[in-house]
Amino acid sequence: MDKTLKDFLSLAQLLLENEKISPVAKFIPAKEMFDRVDLSLHYNPMDEQEYYEKLKELINHSTKTSSNAFFNQLYGGRNEKAVLGELLSVLLNNSMYTYKAAGIQVGVEKITLREVCNIIGWDERSDGTYASGGSMTNLMSMITARDAFRSSIRFNGIEDKLTVYTSVESHFSIPKNAAFIGIGKKNVRLIPTNKKGEMDVAYLEKAIQKDMQSGFHPIMVNATAGTTVLGAFDPVEAISKICKQYRIWLHVDGAYCGAVIFSKKYKYLIKGLENADSFSFNPHKMFGTPLTCSIYVVKNKEHLYNSFSVEADYLFQTEEDEYNPGKTSLQCGRRNDALKFWTLWKSVGTNGLETIVDHEFELADTAREYIRKHADYTLYSFDHSISICFNYKNIPAKEICEKLYQEAQLMVSYGSYQGQEFIRLVTINGQNSSEDILAFFEKFEAFAKKHYLNTLEKVHS
């Protein structure tokens, strides 16, 4: 076996063992990072042994996002079959812009997109692409919506006052992207939500009517399938009726929880999706594929060509545009993110993907059930969400989350909704078990007792 491959396998083994022993990396303040860890670069080559020692040091100090103690972000875990696809993608090193460069890997991408469109309920006119994250798929949705409203914008620029609508709980990329594509952050209307974090549909329609009366042109409504804090689902079916009435593009941002389309039990949360114009979701979230793996699909693939296709004779040298993905994507050079989703899907089947989704909701049920059985907890989120928001006694959420991280105990985030701050536990790691969730609460309570003894005594008195 080649020495480099042996060394790689040794490093991989070290990472896996380190995760079990220390599921949370030892905390290093950002300002001390360069002093505590040797990240320096030099003019001359490094001794091989020293080189691998430095790599080991890097691994030991890196955040363990796949451990059973990582609940901080909207991704986590490590699906082995998807990792295999990632490694193959790196070794093959295809760029997904032309059939010449990517070959049959174009088929890998196309079959996953075709099956996603079929699951949604769209016909053969639909298609899609892969992008580097949910922010990019949201950007693509806003570009296609803009161009669907007026195709001449691609050539002449924006001459109208355009508006976009999204809930106050939606992803920050919507106003950010509005600045990128010339709509402007001020022309993004943030629609209020109800107590469950779902978009207020009546308020949405009033906002659209008001803008139209004032000379604005509403071009898109962004509905969220899994908001970042409460994990709420906007009522897609009701929103789609408004979009149809006013001829507005409807995008459903399912980056976080859009994978519910694979679940017979939870697909109702996104009821009406077939009426949307575009949809996105991230397999690197609920399915645990390595970052990044983000899918963007449209009901009518002509919009992909209209917005993203530009002729380039030096690049596109085959006549089969259908098999040149660079004509329908945001990027030119693009890594093969589809392969890791394909290797997972190929291995477990559509039913296996459904099992992963259902399991994560079951983990959330385990967490909620535990909270409801223990009076010291206050629950702020709702059923059928994989975001569990709670407080423990009267301990400040932000403070205890930061202490848990700094003392390398657990990585869990905090959030706020309608003025209330709380801890946000996400059960998005499909490799976790119910025992892992209960172990979280056991460790959390032990930590609280150790560090907040005075606070807890005041509560009991």
Side-chain angles (χ1 to χ4, degrees):
M1 185 184 293
D2 181 80
K3 181 180 182 303
T4 302
L5 180 56
K6 284 184 178 179
D7 289 332
F8 167 77
L9 293 175
S10 174
L11 290 172
Q13 185 65 31
L14 173 67
L15 170 59
L16 295 175
E17 291 174 354
N18 188 266
E19 265 181 12
K20 293 180 180 179
I21 299 169
S22 304
V24 180
K26 187 175 180 180
F27 173 70
I28 297 177
K31 292 182 179 179
E32 299 177 18
M33 175 174 53
F34 292 105
D35 297 326
R36 301 265 293 272
V37 184
D38 182 10
L39 301 175
S40 60
L41 298 171
H42 308 279
Y43 285 103
N44 297 317
M46 180 176 280
D47 173 77
E48 279 289 298
Q49 184 60 38
E50 184 182 2
Y51 171 68
Y52 280 99
E53 289 302 318
K54 293 299 181 184
L55 292 183
K56 290 178 182 178
E57 181 184 17
L58 185 73
I59 288 172
N60 287 334
H61 286 94
S62 293
T63 305
K64 308 299 189 294
T65 63
S66 296
S67 80
N68 61 4
F70 183 82
F71 301 94
N72 200 73
Q73 251 64 42
L74 303 183
Y75 72 95
R78 182 188 296 113
N79 190 292
E80 294 176 356
K81 294 299 191 297
V83 170
L84 175 61
E86 176 81 328
L87 294 175
L88 290 173
S89 176
V90 170
L91 292 171
L92 290 166
N93 204 32
N94 299 115
S95 187
M96 302 299 293
Y97 45 16
T98 70
Y99 187 75
K100 275 189 173 182
I104 64 169
Q105 296 299 327
V106 172
V108 167
E109 182 169 299
K110 289 185 72 66
I111 197 67
T112 56
L113 295 169
R114 180 71 263 143
E115 288 301 318
V116 167
C117 290
N118 290 342
I119 289 170
I120 293 171
W122 289 343
D123 61 26
E124 291 299 317
R125 291 174 297 174
S126 58
D127 202 358
T129 186
Y130 281 73
S132 58
S135 292
M136 289 298 101
T137 53
N138 282 342
L139 174 62
M140 295 186 77
S141 74
M142 296 176 77
I143 293 172
T144 47
R146 182 199 66 185
D147 297 345
F149 164 73
R150 199 177 305 287
S151 61
S152 62
I153 288 175
R154 292 174 294 151
F155 306 98
N156 303 327
I158 295 177
E159 299 172 345
D160 304 288
K161 296 190 296 182
L162 308 182
T163 51
V164 170
Y165 305 81
T166 192
S167 90
V168 294
E169 294 298 303
S170 66
H171 196 256
F172 74 94
S173 62
I174 301 299
K176 185 176 182 179
N177 290 334
F180 291 163
I181 67 172
I183 291 175
K185 292 181 180 179
K186 289 185 177 180
N187 291 325
V188 175
R189 310 300 190 227
L190 299 178
I191 307 302
T193 55
N194 61 21
K195 66 177 183 178
K196 292 185 177 181
E198 303 161 343
M199 185 188 292
D200 185 330
V201 179
Y203 192 101
L204 168 67
E205 183 168 20
K206 290 177 182 177
I208 291 171
Q209 292 172 342
K210 180 180 178 182
D211 278 334
M212 293 177 69
Q213 292 167 4
S214 301
F216 288 93
H217 298 274
I219 66 162
M220 189 184 96
V221 175
N222 175 70
T224 305
T227 58
T228 54
V229 176
L230 294 180
F233 290 77
D234 288 335
V236 173
E237 189 168 47
I239 293 172
S240 69
K241 293 177 181 178
I242 292 174
C243 288
K244 182 178 181 180
Q245 179 180 350
Y246 296 97
R247 301 180 67 181
I248 301 171
W249 184 282
L250 171 58
H251 173 64
V252 178
D253 171 15
Y256 180 14
C257 296
V260 295
I261 63 172
F262 290 88
S263 170
K264 291 185 285 291
K265 184 175 182 180
Y266 294 102
K267 193 174 182 179
Y268 79 92
L269 292 167
I270 206 166
K271 184 181 179 182
L273 177 61
E274 68 279 5
N275 300 317
D277 297 289
S278 59
F279 170 65
S280 58
F281 79 101
N282 293 353
H284 71 240
K285 292 188 175 174
M286 292 192 81
F287 290 135
T289 69
L291 291 161
T292 59
C293 190
S294 301
I295 288 175
Y296 176 65
V297 287
V298 293
K299 195 171 188 176
N300 187 338
K301 62 187 175 185
E302 287 185 7
H303 292 291
L304 291 177
Y305 287 96
N306 291 342
S307 290
F308 304 111
S309 179
V310 176
E311 294 303 321
D313 292 339
Y314 65 86
L315 183 64
F316 301 112
Q317 298 178 348
T318 58
E319 294 181 358
E320 301 89 351
D321 278 352
E322 185 77 12
Y323 298 94
N324 288 324
K327 294 234 172 167
T328 54
S329 63
L330 191 64
Q331 301 161 255
C332 179
R334 176 166 60 85
R335 68 193 311 277
N336 186 4
D337 287 328
L339 185 54
K340 52 197 163 190
F341 188 33
W342 182 87
T343 54
L344 170 60
W345 200 337
K346 187 79 170 176
S347 171
V348 303
T350 306
N351 289 339
L353 296 181
E354 178 181 31
T355 298
I356 294 172
V357 172
D358 289 352
H359 176 62
E360 291 172 8
F361 278 93
E362 289 164 6
L363 295 179
D365 289 339
T366 298
R368 276 188 294 268
E369 183 180 358
Y370 183 89
I371 290 170
R372 284 169 173 153
K373 285 183 176 179
H374 293 78
D376 290 334
Y377 286 88
T378 303
L379 182 66
Y380 294 96
S381 54
F382 303 87
D383 290 345
H384 296 173
S385 165
I386 59 173
S387 290
I388 301 89
C389 302
F390 66 91
N391 275 327
Y392 183 61
K393 304 195 174 180
N394 60 349
I395 299 174
K398 178 180 179 180
E399 183 179 310
I400 193 169
C401 286
E402 289 180 349
K403 280 184 177 293
L404 284 162
Y405 166 51
Q406 291 169 2
E407 299 200 16
Q409 296 298 306
L410 294 165
M411 286 194 69
V412 64
S413 187
Y414 58 90
S416 62
Y417 184 67
Q418 295 183 346
Q420 180 63 55
E421 189 173 84
F422 40 66
I423 298 162
R424 184 196 62 173
L425 170 70
V426 292
T427 58
I428 203 164
N429 183 347
Q431 280 71 58
N432 275 348
S433 65
S434 293
E435 289 73 23
D436 290 318
I437 301 301
L438 297 176
F440 165 87
F441 287 108
E442 182 180 357
K443 180 173 281 191
F444 176 84
E445 290 170 15
F447 185 86
K449 184 176 181 180
K450 177 181 177 181
H451 292 271
Y452 293 91
L453 183 60
N454 293 335
T455 299
L456 299 183
E457 287 176 347
K458 289 178 181 178
V459 171
H460 287 296
S461 63

